[in-house]
Amino acid sequence: MGWNASRKRLAAGVHAPRPSPHSLSLPLSSRLRREHPVTDLPWYTSFAPERGTLPPRAWTAESDAARLPLGGDWAFRLSPAADAADTSFTEPGFDAGAWGTVAVPGHWVLQGKDAEFGRPAYTNVAYPFPVDPPHVPDENPTGDHLRRFDLPDGWPAEGGAVLCFDGVESCARVWLNGTELGWFKGSRLAHEFAVGELLRERDNVLAVRVHQWSSGSYLEDQDQWWLPGIFRDVTLLHRPEGAPGDFFVHASYDHVAGSGELRVDCDVPGRVRVPELGLDLATGESVTVPVEPWSAEVPRLYEGELTAGGERIGLRIGFRSVYVEDGVLKANGRRILFRGVNRHEFHPETGRTLDRETMRADVELMKRHNINAVRTSHYPPHPAFLDLCDSYGLWVIDEGDLETHGFEELGWRGNPVDDERWTPALLDRAARLVERDKNHPSVVLWSLGNECGTGAGLGAMARWIRDRDPSRPVHYEGDRSCPDVDVYSRMYPPHAEVAEIGRREDGGPEHRGELPFLLCEYAHAMGNGPGGLSEYQRLFETYERCQGGFVWEWIDHGLVHPVHGYGYGGDFGEELHDGNFVCDGLLFPDRTPSPGLVEYKKVIEPVRIAPGARPGSALVANLHDVADLSGLAFRWEFLADGRMVGEGPLDVPPVPAGERVEVALPEPPPHPAGAETVWTVRAVLAASTVWAPAGHEVAWGQLPVTPARPPASLGAGVRAVVEGDRIVLGPVVLDARTGTPLCVGGLAVAGFGLDVWRAPTDNDEGAPWQPDTRHGPLWRTLGLHRMRHRTVAVEPDTEGLTVRTRVAPAARDFGLAVTYRWTSDGTAARLAVSVVPEGLWPAPLPRLGVRLGLPAALDRVEWYGGGPGEAYPDTRAAARLGLWKSTVAALQTPYVRPQENGARVDTRRLELTGGDAGLRIEGESAFWFTARRWTHAELDAAGHRPDLKPGDTLWLNLDHALHGIGSHSCGPGVLPEHRLEASSASFALILTPTGR
Ligand code: GAL
């Protein structure tokens, strides 16, 4: 079948025919005749997706055919417009001596000195050019790239060759040795050209013209940086005579019979061998054999090979079947639960150009944090990433390179997915997604794309995909009527709605009610947060239909910036941008896990450890989809007042997935009488795996035994002595006029008072499209960041001192009546605080506690409480009770845009030391603390990390309560149970100076 016919079938929604081996070595002239209709649009703004490329095919890294990577330094010239320079650079004799250089793969805007090649730009939804499809502005940065190469010694004389581009943003026109090969769009898709007859042994000249903007840009409006360039590999591949054009490994698993069925289709006859299974069969032939299935938890791969013509291709076969049964998404007969993340490809220096080690780092970090699934938002990733997912074990939703979100702001007028002129381009994207990645067992769902609204083009894509690969369900989130999909998918619904969907009470089209449900995005990890993960997880574990979700997103896209450390939208001089909305990941840009990732790891742990029904026992629930517990070793620790007084192994049987067991704990080891005691039970890897060493902690639980004692009472009270303008009460000296402490045991105290403010987090600030529920802006409007204090009374007595105040914002008649009661035994001081709201409080409080400024010399912190990391009311699952140490500097969480951070939960005792000074603080009930060398105002004013400069004061907040975090930067706000409403409260702290 000729090219035109195959394209027609493709456009008609019929799967592309496999290219014959000959199609790879067709004479160039006949290939170039397969043109799309000529229009008067320049090629880069035509509706056509490509001209002259080969049909898409399976990607493999494991072929014995010769290959020549063409990465490295390429000569480079940047022009301001598509037609500013002619194409004479494509001629073999062209002298590019005056040109600059860029690294390929790479984005030109991230290279060169002093932005000589332009700058990156970030927008979320808005197109950074007029919406005038398929046209683009005259200002269209254009990069001409040149690379000379010789064929390596031993490059076979026979056969053909193809030139493969794994990714070019946004389009490329290609010449080899002065002959134009064609052009293509589809930035994160592979494109190949047959080049055999054009190759020379020496001094080949490869010329590539790349425009930043093309008609393809309308289909690539993903929320990320716009980064033009040849950003993935360019490779010359030898194609031996008779070598496959394409092959399709079908490897399903029958969980009832315990067998796998294997068939490898190939466009040329060949043999398939799988030595471990004793298989040697012809391509196209099916065989059924007993096998172990592939899953994300047990990623069993069988090594095999396909030989056809002169080529041997390595196969990594994973047998697995994924399907919807009774409204539930299953793999190999079992319901699967996605503990997922959305992953954009990102590196803070190289943008979307990632080396293999970075890809591996992502996969290892995911596995170490109990993540079992990835949505490749919002385009097919570098193909090597999927190899890693196959071998490490991750379920993958592989997404097409398609988003037209910017049309939403226009009421979806002119949306390409609902305009048939674009359908060939959409089908091209669908085909390039499926054909390249179809042999990866890790890929379990195809996703049409992201945020494209609705339209017939999506239906055409879904039909094409189903026809070509009926073995995988189809995903798309943007059409709630779900006409084209096999799963009902949503982003950012609140918990209550998830519960309703779980109960199948959400209404909607009838067939939707029969689909499994997943959250392709939830829990927006922007800045501090996301909050509410535990509550979502409970829903996924309660409702069979709710099959988990994918946190938005994996990594902050902060680009290295000369002044700001990590830059975000607007930091590179963009006219139009969306600020730090691009920094919303579970990893900081340098891939350091944020507290959000640590929390997520705990929430999604595949083993849950809780108190057993019998005293002295632990309940161990195996929440894996597939694996039993034989891969884990269990250990117990016994803590007395936070100190470990004994530890040992705990025998836990190899409970199957989905089951639980109650195990007896040993006799508690000897420990101080009256101490607060707790068991910690930990599940660790019994043996090293590819992703973590033996001993790596997978899950843990704490089982309280004896509750905490309140701190010892202070004994007989001392009298408050008035000495001029001061009042002395044991170790505390206070201002006689205001009743505020001036020093505690020789430590100067500044800025004491009730504190309700925090530098709003991104989730406090909320999303612009939810204006009525954004607490950050509301708090500022109410004036909570500039509360005024009025001293009502300072009343010394024989047993202490009472200070009454009123705290309220300007221009408002609501406030807080605050009473401080100071007492002392001469050595320590007790501060009891009681707060009564007055008037009508229209908003929850950010925090409720006291603040004091202490000398910055106190730079070391030790506490008995929750740790080691940050925690807030709805992000506290990962905090475990213990005795923790830190420096003040290390308590800070370096969010790319500074904001409230670093609170520690459930503190029983806190000790600050430094130099000769020291202060111990005990809570009569558990308290929260934060300690930092800048004020809330300084934290609030900072736009980037380097703006924060440590001052001379250590600002210590001792909080009775905090408002939760939520996920309102893109999703729901703080759940009612985690809101801090203004209501009466009282709490007490004991302050003991400990310095020498
Ligand atoms: C979603 C979108 C993502 C990202 C996210 C917010 O609507 O699919 O690409 O923009 O919101 O960060």
Side-chain angles (χ1 to χ4, degrees), residues 124 223 378 405 450-451 491-492 521 524 552 581 584 970:
N124 170 13
D223 172 8
H378 297 302
H405 201 174
N450 185 57
E451 296 186 315
M491 41 176 82
Y492 312 107
E521 293 178 28
H524 199 242
W552 187 267
F581 203 63
D584 52 2
C970 191

Side-chain angles (χ1 to χ4, degrees), residues 38 86 115 165 183 240 255 313 326 341 431 440 511 531 547 623 628-629 660 681 705 707 795 815 845 855:
V38 175
D86 64 24
F165 292 85
W183 47 259
H255 66 280
I313 295 171
D326 301 330
V341 287
H440 290 282
H511 74 281
Q547 299 201 248
L623 305 180
D628 68 21
L629 293 185
R660 53 188 57 206
V681 176
V705 187
E795 300 165 340
L845 299 172

